[in-house]
Amino acid sequence: MMYKIINIIITINIIIVVGCVGSVIAQTKVVDYGFEDWTGDANTTKGYPFTNSAQSYWDTHTACTEVVTSYNADDMGQNWTALAGSKYLLFNRSSTTELEPIVAGIDANSVNSRSNLGVGLNYGGLNKINFAEVIITGRMFIRFWARFNRGHYGNFSGSPYPGMKFIRVHNDDPEATADIFMSLNCNHGINPLMYIWQTSSGGTHGSVTIANAYDGNWHKFSMYIDFNSGIVKQWYDVNIETLDNANQTWDNNGKIGAATYVTYISLNSNFAAKDPLDEIYSAIDNIEVWDGFPVTTDTIAPVRNKGFPAGEIGAATTVTDISLTTNENATCRYSALSGISYAEMTEFTNTTGTNHTTEVSGLENGLTYNYYVKCKDESENTNSDDFVITFSIANTQAVNNTSSGGKNCFIATAAYGTPLAEEVKILSRFRDKHLLTNYCGKTFVNMYYKYSPKMAEYISQKPGLKRVIRLMLSPLVNLIR
């Protein structure tokens, strides 16, 4: 995946026999680019694929994009790094709001990034590939990875619910009404809608909810258009795309309006020409475009997300679970040292699916712990870099009590006076069996550990308040008993 040069056209020489007449179609990858050859300037970067027809359009693109190695997505509590390699393209999505923290080279300057791919116009990157010349089968396939901050996707000038023109496939229709869009609905919080749009055929053609798309993590988007048959397909977070596993399919009965072939593609263009009024930004990496539908094998290591715990855990915690998720089935291992090979790491206790959990012990007050994780998928693709789970143990404990396993139920213990109370044991078992076994529950427990010690200290000094808390906890204890 390192040092990809878009202008090298890789012919795969895969032959597929289709139909009863036995015609053959070859698949050719015409774009394979991951921003690794970035020099700091598109005008000197051999593979940079985006171009424009006018200097003003190119200025718009450069004002709101920048190739970076990392970004502190502080509103998401994340540090964004590349999917593979070390570089990716970052977009500011609002002309009214600067990125915070500021990124050198990016201004709040335009609602439209004008990121045109495969048209070879005069202004922009040195790569001048022309899709009209190299996509000759009448079938086009694109896939890449993207991540978004959560933003406030309902706050736009001129319209409350615009759609994001995420992928726009331009074609030879002179009226431009046959352009095909992958659009993302912008007012569904973390779980937006993905839908197919074409103006000339009536607008929207079905939609699906794409879970967690705006959670700040890398997600995979793929789109296929067959101008010969009038079929459009879209995929979201599908590891290996096939014609049978698309999230969405639209069959327009043999035609794509007046269009017969693709001319170029715009990525991350705009929100139906509306301008976000909040800090909204996104990123893309690892772009592929094919002439024909690719027959591919999995060559990408698992994408790791949602490391847990994070931040500070309550004092006197000596044992806790660490966990993460992957975008595909994988086996994960960890080490307390960075740079350790996968083979030398310790395997998670619960792994092989997409949720991975293991217990770590020997934790002490006032210390910060880093656990470095690598995962390997079913195709033997293994992460080369470390995914770090970082947390700390509070230095002091407000109430001197622990539940089983060294994990604290501060408020319940303060209310009942002892960690040995039957009610405390019942609540502790509920936590261990039903909260610590899923991501949302773990997040709640982590927040509880962070804020409950001070509350428990106050409760322990107020006998009347203890009685009130016991009354409040009683229905819950009886329910889960």
Side-chain angles (χ1 to χ4, degrees):
M1 304 303 291
M2 297 286 288
Y3 306 107
K4 300 173 182 175
I5 305 300
I6 190 174
N7 205 27
I8 299 176
I9 300 177
I10 305 171
T11 304
I12 306 302
N13 294 326
I14 299 172
I15 304 299
I16 299 177
V17 179
V18 295
C20 59
V21 296
S23 59
V24 296
I25 302 173
Q27 286 72 40
T28 304
K29 187 189 291 185
V30 298
V31 171
D32 190 359
Y33 191 67
F35 303 97
E36 295 304 309
D37 66 339
W38 180 249
T39 64
D41 184 352
N43 296 312
T44 59
T45 299
K46 184 177 180 181
Y48 194 76
F50 299 112
T51 63
N52 275 290
S53 60
Q55 183 67 55
S56 60
Y57 288 171
W58 179 246
D59 290 344
T60 294
H61 174 82
T62 58
C64 61
T65 65
E66 186 71 21
V67 176
V68 298
T69 57
S70 66
Y71 180 65
N72 178 20
D74 55 356
D75 60 311
M76 301 294 290
Q78 298 170 328
N79 182 48
W80 285 11
T81 56
L83 172 73
S86 61
K87 300 181 180 74
Y88 63 94
L89 187 64
L90 182 69
F91 294 77
N92 183 20
R93 309 306 303 275
S94 173
S95 65
T96 61
T97 307
E98 297 278 4
L99 288 184
E100 179 57 44
I102 294 171
V103 174
I106 295 184
D107 299 319
N109 192 53
S110 176
V111 69
N112 191 340
S113 70
R114 301 193 182 278
S115 302
N116 298 323
L117 176 68
V119 64
L121 297 170
N122 291 334
Y123 298 89
L126 294 179
N127 185 279
K128 303 298 183 183
I129 190 170
N130 189 327
F131 286 168
E133 296 175 354
V134 299
I135 298 180
I136 58 176
T137 64
R139 302 180 304 143
M140 183 282 307
F141 178 90
I142 181 173
R143 61 180 163 216
F144 60 93
W145 294 74
R147 64 197 310 173
F148 311 87
N149 81 316
R150 193 163 304 160
H152 296 281
Y153 286 93
N155 192 359
F156 288 78
S157 62
S159 174
Y161 311 118
M164 183 196 303
K165 298 176 182 177
F166 191 47
I167 302 175
R168 179 175 184 171
V169 180
H170 302 262
N171 49 59
D172 58 327
D173 173 19
E175 302 298 325
T177 60
D179 289 357
I180 303 293
F181 297 84
M182 174 192 285
S183 291
L184 305 184
N185 177 280
C186 302
N187 201 44
H188 274 240
I190 198 171
N191 302 312
L193 297 178
M194 177 177 73
Y195 51 96
I196 299 168
W197 175 280
Q198 186 192 46
T199 301
S200 63
S201 57
T204 302
H205 300 283
S207 64
V208 294
T209 298
I210 49 176
N212 300 317
Y214 295 159
D215 65 0
N217 298 306
W218 285 113
H219 295 284
K220 185 181 182 185
F221 294 84
S222 313
M223 187 178 193
Y224 171 68
I225 302 177
D226 188 339
F227 290 90
N228 307 309
S229 65
I231 291 177
V232 179
K233 292 179 178 287
Q234 298 185 156
W235 296 258
Y236 168 74
D237 273 351
V238 173
N239 188 37
I240 300 178
E241 304 90 341
T242 71
L243 292 175
D244 297 323
N245 68 1
N247 300 97
Q248 266 184 300
T249 298
W250 172 46
D251 186 345
N252 198 35
N253 300 317
K255 62 181 180 179
I256 304 293
T260 60
Y261 63 88
V262 59
T263 53
Y264 67 101
I265 299 172
S266 297
L267 299 182
N268 263 8
S269 57
N270 61 33
F271 298 88
K274 306 301 178 184
D275 187 18
L277 303 179
D278 299 290
E279 183 186 30
I280 294 179
Y281 53 92
S282 59
I284 62 172
D285 201 359
N286 286 25
I287 306 168
E288 290 184 16
V289 180
W290 291 71
D291 176 24
F293 189 84
V295 177
T296 60
T297 56
D298 181 13
T299 60
I300 298 178
V303 178
R304 297 151 294 173
N305 291 315
K306 298 181 179 177
F308 181 91
E312 188 177 80
I313 296 179
T317 299
T318 60
V319 178
T320 192
D321 288 335
I322 61 171
S323 64
L324 74 157
T325 65
T326 52
N327 68 313
E328 58 180 319
N329 290 341
T331 301
C332 295
R333 297 181 177 182
Y334 72 98
S335 172
L337 301 175
S338 64
I340 302 299
S341 70
Y342 178 82
E344 297 176 291
M345 289 179 158
T346 301
E347 190 164 301
F348 275 55
T349 303
N350 301 305
T351 187
T352 71
T354 60
N355 296 295
H356 314 275
T357 305
T358 198
E359 186 179 87
V360 294
S361 59
L363 308 178
E364 298 181 16
N365 286 358
L367 297 182
T368 297
Y369 293 89
N370 297 310
Y371 291 95
Y372 302 89
V373 182
K374 291 183 172 75
C375 302
K376 180 171 68 174
D377 66 17
E378 294 171 342
S379 299
E380 301 296 311
N381 300 304
T382 306
N383 299 122
S384 59
D385 62 327
D386 289 319
F387 179 86
V388 187
I389 298 174
T390 300
F391 62 93
S392 61
I393 308 300
N395 194 42
T396 59
Q397 183 178 353
V399 178
N400 186 23
N401 57 77
T402 60
S403 62
S404 61
K407 302 172 185 176
N408 306 284
C409 284
F410 296 108
I411 293 177
T413 301
Y416 290 101
T418 173
L420 301 178
E422 182 62 24
E423 293 86 352
V424 176
K425 293 178 180 179
I426 291 170
L427 292 168
S428 298
R429 285 196 297 268
F430 178 79
R431 175 202 61 203
D432 295 341
K433 292 182 179 180
H434 300 286
L435 296 181
L436 291 179
T437 55
N438 62 84
Y439 179 76
C440 292
K442 289 176 182 178
T443 301
F444 170 78
V445 171
N446 197 31
M447 293 294 290
Y448 176 84
Y449 287 161
K450 184 174 182 179
Y451 295 110
S452 64
K454 290 184 179 180
M455 298 170 60
E457 183 178 21
Y458 180 79
I459 293 169
S460 67
Q461 300 172 3
K462 305 289 183 180
L465 185 55
K466 286 184 181 182
R467 289 192 293 272
V468 172
I469 298 299
R470 290 197 295 269
L471 288 172
M472 294 174 63
L473 290 175
S474 181
L476 175 61
V477 171
N478 291 331
L479 179 64
I480 64 177
R481 186 182 295 272

